């Protein structure tokens, strides 16, 4: 197990970054990473020694996130007993507002497009690595990524740009 810890430890920051990008809550992201590492260690004997450990861990993390997301969808909205008031003052920095717009638009994407966009755009996975990680053909990765980028652009432009453009 000592070799497992030495192999896993350098990958934790990337796992936390990806988990935070998926759930946008530091505590939930840490829980997701912890569940990922627990699952990886409990199934360490199933790992292919010649396989890509990073891709294996990201696949576990994504699968755990998707499972939790589906379970949350089935259960419905949870209402907290104590509701907090949001701050009354809006952000004054334009870049902060733009970031909020991008994150909100990213959250409206379908889950398979969102996670793929984050894998390739944030975590620098290649199309081939992402295809292997998700278990889909590379053409599917390319088409999902293209649709995700189009939807993100359309959401950020407020629907002003047409999805299909006329080529002369």
């Amino acid at each position: 197990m000592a070799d497992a810890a030495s192999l896993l430890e350098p990958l934790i920051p990337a796992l936390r970054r990806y988990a935070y990008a998926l759930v946008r809550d530091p505590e939930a992201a840490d829980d997701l990473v912890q569940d990922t590492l627990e699952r990886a260690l409990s199934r360490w004997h199933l790992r292919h020694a010649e396989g890509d450990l990073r891709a294996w861990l990201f696949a576990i993390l994504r699968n755990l996130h998707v499972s939790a997301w589906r379970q949350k969808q089935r259960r419905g909205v949870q209402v907290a007993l104590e509701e907090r008031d949001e701050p009354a003052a809006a952000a004054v920095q334009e870049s902060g507002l733009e970031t909020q717009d991008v994150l909100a638009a990213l959250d409206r994407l379908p889950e398979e497009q969102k996670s793929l966009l984050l894998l390739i755009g944030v975590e620098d996975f290649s199309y081939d690595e992402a295809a292997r990680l998700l278990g889909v053909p590379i053409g599917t990765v390319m088409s999902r990524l293209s649709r995700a980028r189009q939807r993100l652009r359309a959401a950020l432009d407020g629907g002003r740009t047409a999805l299909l453009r006329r080529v002369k």
Side-chain angles (χ1 to χ4, degrees):
M1 260 325 149
D3 64 327
S6 65
L7 291 172
L8 293 173
E9 190 173 346
L11 299 173
I12 292 174
L15 288 169
R16 291 180 82 189
R17 204 172 35 246
Y18 183 54
Y20 181 78
L22 288 173
V23 298
R24 292 249 184 20
D25 177 18
E27 292 175 4
D30 286 341
D31 289 344
L32 185 57
V33 170
Q34 183 176 351
D35 292 344
T36 300
L37 295 173
E38 180 183 353
R39 172 96 30 114
L41 288 173
S42 69
R43 290 162 176 77
W44 191 257
H45 64 282
L46 299 174
R47 182 180 75 86
H48 298 284
E50 67 279 351
D52 185 7
L53 178 61
R54 181 175 176 241
W56 185 60
L57 290 172
F58 273 80
I60 292 172
L61 189 141
R62 181 186 178 279
N63 290 340
L64 286 171
H65 169 68
V66 168
S67 294
W69 181 79
R70 287 179 180 156
Q71 187 176 42
K72 183 179 172 185
Q73 295 296 81
R74 284 191 305 268
R75 288 185 179 170
V77 178
Q78 294 181 352
V79 178
L81 294 176
E82 298 175 6
E83 295 181 2
R84 291 188 338 210
D85 291 332
E86 293 295 321
V92 290
Q93 294 88 1
E94 191 172 316
S95 64
L97 294 173
E98 289 172 356
T99 301
Q100 288 176 355
D101 290 343
V102 170
L103 294 176
L106 191 61
D107 284 338
R108 287 191 299 269
L109 290 176
E111 187 56 40
E112 68 271 355
Q113 291 178 2
K114 175 184 171 183
S115 58
L116 181 62
L117 193 61
L118 291 171
L119 281 174
I120 292 176
V122 176
E123 294 301 329
D124 290 330
F125 274 79
S126 70
Y127 288 5
D128 188 45
E129 289 173 327
R132 279 187 279 133
L133 188 143
L134 299 174
V136 297
I138 194 164
T140 302
V141 166
M142 292 167 59
S143 65
R144 281 184 188 170
L145 188 60
S146 175
R147 285 192 302 272
R149 288 175 176 158
Q150 281 180 335
R151 289 182 80 162
L152 196 57
R153 264 189 232 107
L156 293 175
D157 289 343
R160 289 181 295 208
T161 58
L163 292 178
L164 297 175
R165 294 187 181 153
R166 188 174 177 171
V167 179
K168 294 183 180 185

